Amino acid sequence: MAYNANMNVADIRAGLLAGDFTAREVAEASFKRIEELDGEVHAFLELTKGAAFEQAAKIDEALANGTFDEIGPLAGVPVAFKDNMNYEGTHTTCSSLMLENYVSPYTATCVAKTIEAGGIPLGKLNMDEFAFGSSTETSAFGPTKNPWDLERVPGGSSGGSAASVAAGLACVTLGSDTGGSIRQPAAFCGIVGVKPTYGMVSRYGVVAFGSSLDQVGPFARSVRDAAAAMDAICGHDPMDCTSQYVKADFRAACEQGVEGMRIGVVSGFMNAPGLTDEVKARVSEATEALREAGAEIVEVELPHADAAISAYYVLGPCEAFSNLARFDSVRYGYCAEGHKDLGSQYEASRAAGFGMEAKRRIMLGSYLLSSGVYEKYYYPAQQVRTLITQDYQAAYEKCDVILAPTSPRTAFKFGEIGDPVEMHLSDIFTVSINIAGNGGMNVPCGLGSDTGLPVGVQLIAPQFKDENMFRAAAALEAVYGAAPIAPDFAAGKAGE
């Protein structure tokens, strides 16, 4: 059987070993599909054909030499990367005019590990500018569209990473998550998205938004594919002092079942304002599915979760303001010409190079860190962070993993949300996990009864016990099945 976009990691591996197709044929078919379909979605910003065919040749050589099993868990799998991840020789723009012409001189550890594990690199993916957004509408190069409905957003900021998987343009992609930027687009696009515990995956080479909040993780259409990607990218990196020595086998965790597990449910989340009835119904069904699979459902409390959004939009902009200070037109980034003094050059370059949302967060971070304001907002936000972290620790004394909604609603239409504050509320169920540093992942749980669009359930694990959420996720997938390619992009309708 020839390679096709519906194949998962195990299918690709089996097909290569059986001689049904070659790694080069996988790469060729992937680029053909991207060229035919990405014009509708706009997930990719740059293709890396040279690197892909070079990797494919290495895999085909290993197949011929009998050394294929020595390649990692992603051998022959088409992969792609969010455009805030450096990959030597490619543009790393963060979807900003500020970095439109920047070419990476080195490769991020997460990208290198994915390729070392055998992934065939297809290219770089669209995102909200510098990861500031929940819809991928802030990209300087145009928005990405949701493959389930091209009039709707794919979520953000990793919208390109999610949409490319949902459309079958890549099998596995990497995104980054600062307050929900993997899980929310995964929910909107009906796929699996994993935000690991902070420190499980190296951030070296990933352009920083909030250094204490950012974490890299995979998108895939199945829990086991995401587990294979996690096995490839997690672990200590001497180039990142926040990365930890972690030994985990996520693929093995998927086979353990949930018999005897305690699943925590937060009543405050299920009764939160803005949570639509169709999402609430699907999350309740998923809870019952885990109960029927042998898990015990227990109620837990997160008393300070309501303060998470407020704390996040203090901490995040402050860290963003600090991280974006390096883009000054001298060391990095767009440079406006014709200025006689450095001050006016800085001002003009940053005014032209940054988009509106980036400017908004820079200004907010600058204000919050100013004298007299820092003590009023930033320090209390850090105190709230401690309280939220302690809340999660107390909750995990009663349960092994927490189940919650991922997003309060299904994907919204372009332009439907214009108020920045309302847009920020898209992350109401996700930001507390980044604040506390826990692992979290989205698992598709069917379609909404009103919109007919994908709904996701979020599983939240204790720090460095991410295997727990993979156990529960695999149990849910046994009920709902692996995520399909979005109907309008499924095989047969795409000319395969």
Side-chain angles (χ1 to χ4, degrees):
M1 182 174 67
Y3 167 78
N4 67 78
N6 286 290
M7 289 184 169
N8 59 29
V9 170
D11 294 335
I12 293 170
R13 186 178 189 87
L16 289 169
L17 285 169
D20 294 339
F21 47 81
T22 65
R24 183 175 181 86
E25 289 171 338
V26 173
E28 289 173 344
S30 298
F31 286 121
K32 181 175 184 291
R33 187 172 171 85
I34 291 168
E35 289 162 4
E36 290 175 350
L37 299 176
D38 192 48
E40 297 182 60
V41 180
H42 187 43
F44 281 85
L45 296 180
E46 181 175 2
L47 299 180
T48 52
K49 290 187 177 181
F53 289 124
E54 181 181 343
Q55 177 79 331
K58 292 178 182 177
I59 294 167
D60 287 335
E61 183 180 357
L63 282 164
N65 295 337
T67 57
F68 181 76
D69 286 339
E70 297 176 12
I71 305 176
L74 299 177
V77 175
V79 299
F81 310 104
K82 187 175 180 177
D83 201 33
N84 61 348
M85 299 174 187
N86 279 279
Y87 183 11
E88 185 176 359
T90 71
H91 291 86
T92 299
T93 70
C94 294
S95 290
S96 175
L97 294 179
M98 181 61 76
L99 291 174
E100 183 176 13
N101 299 312
Y102 177 74
V103 177
S104 300
Y106 71 108
T107 298
T109 299
C110 59
V111 174
K113 284 190 170 186
T114 303
I115 296 171
E116 288 167 6
I120 297 176
L122 301 180
K124 307 292 283 295
L125 298 160
N126 200 16
M127 57 184 284
D128 280 302
E129 183 181 13
F130 284 104
F132 301 151
S134 301
S135 63
T136 316
E137 291 175 285
T138 69
S139 170
F141 308 117
T144 295
K145 298 178 181 179
N146 191 322
W148 283 83
D149 181 345
L150 297 176
E151 295 183 355
R152 296 178 184 269
V153 305
S157 62
S158 306
S161 300
S164 60
V165 172
L169 306 181
C171 182
V172 171
T173 62
L174 295 188
S176 63
D177 190 311
T178 309
S181 290
I182 289 174
R183 290 156 290 156
Q184 185 250 28
F188 279 11
C189 291
I191 59 174
V192 177
V194 182
K195 197 290 290 187
T197 294
Y198 183 83
M200 289 199 76
V201 179
S202 172
R203 295 181 296 110
Y204 175 73
V206 180
V207 180
F209 164 5
S211 301
S212 73
L213 303 163
D214 299 342
Q215 187 64 151
V216 172
F219 291 89
R221 288 193 304 277
S222 79
V223 173
R224 285 169 177 78
D225 283 6
M230 277 297 298
D231 283 339
I233 65 176
C234 76
H236 180 257
D237 176 16
M239 301 300 290
D240 177 6
C241 65
T242 66
S243 70
Q244 303 296 309
Y245 290 92
V246 179
K247 290 185 178 181
D249 189 339
F250 295 102
R251 286 170 291 175
C254 293
E255 312 304 325
Q256 294 176 9
V258 294
E259 187 75 35
M261 284 190 75
R262 298 167 299 164
I263 308 295
V265 176
V266 184
S267 59
F269 282 172
M270 294 300 290
N271 296 309
L275 180 65
T276 61
D277 290 339
E278 63 176 351
V279 172
K280 185 174 182 178
R282 283 300 188 184
V283 175
S284 296
E285 289 172 11
T287 305
E288 290 306 308
L290 289 173
R291 189 197 305 273
E292 292 175 7
E296 178 188 356
I297 308 301
V298 299
E299 282 207 15
V300 296
E301 294 182 0
L302 297 173
H304 299 94
D306 289 346
I309 285 282
S310 299
Y312 176 81
Y313 281 100
V314 172
L315 301 174
C318 288
E319 295 190 16
F321 165 70
S322 177
N323 282 319
L324 267 62
R326 71 194 71 178
F327 302 110
D328 59 8
S329 78
V330 177
R331 292 171 292 182
Y332 294 93
Y334 170 80
C335 180
E337 298 180 354
H339 296 275
K340 296 181 180 180
D341 63 273
L342 200 56
S344 61
Q345 179 182 309
Y346 281 171
E347 183 177 347
S349 299
R350 288 170 67 86
F354 288 126
M356 186 58 66
E357 184 62 25
K359 292 174 186 174
R360 183 181 291 115
R361 300 203 190 198
I362 290 169
M363 292 172 65
L364 180 57
S366 175
Y367 170 74
L368 291 169
L369 290 174
S370 61
S371 177
V373 178
Y374 172 92
E375 295 83 358
K376 185 177 180 180
Y377 293 107
Y378 184 78
Y379 185 61
Q382 291 288 20
Q383 291 177 311
V384 169
R385 182 178 204 163
T386 299
L387 293 173
I388 291 172
T389 302
Q390 291 172 345
D391 287 346
Y392 273 106
Q393 290 170 344
Y396 289 124
E397 293 178 2
K398 299 179 181 179
C399 67
D400 302 302
V401 69
I402 292 172
L403 183 147
T406 303
S407 172
R409 57 169 296 174
T410 56
F412 48 86
K413 291 185 176 182
F414 286 101
E416 183 176 343
I417 298 179
D419 181 359
V421 175
E422 186 178 354
M423 183 72 77
H424 296 167
L425 293 177
S426 298
D427 300 328
I428 189 172
F429 299 122
T430 56
V431 296
S432 65
I433 290 86
N434 297 77
I435 287 173
N438 299 95
M441 67 185 293
N442 177 76
V443 182
C445 59
L447 305 179
S449 57
D450 298 327
T451 61
L453 295 170
V455 175
V457 63
Q458 183 177 202
L459 296 165
I460 310 164
Q463 292 179 0
F464 302 107
K465 292 185 178 179
D466 292 20
E467 297 99 319
N468 290 5
M469 63 188 186
F470 275 89
R471 289 178 62 187
L476 286 175
E477 190 168 88
V479 175
Y480 293 101
I485 293 174
D488 288 345
F489 292 81
K493 296 185 181 181
E496 288 192 9

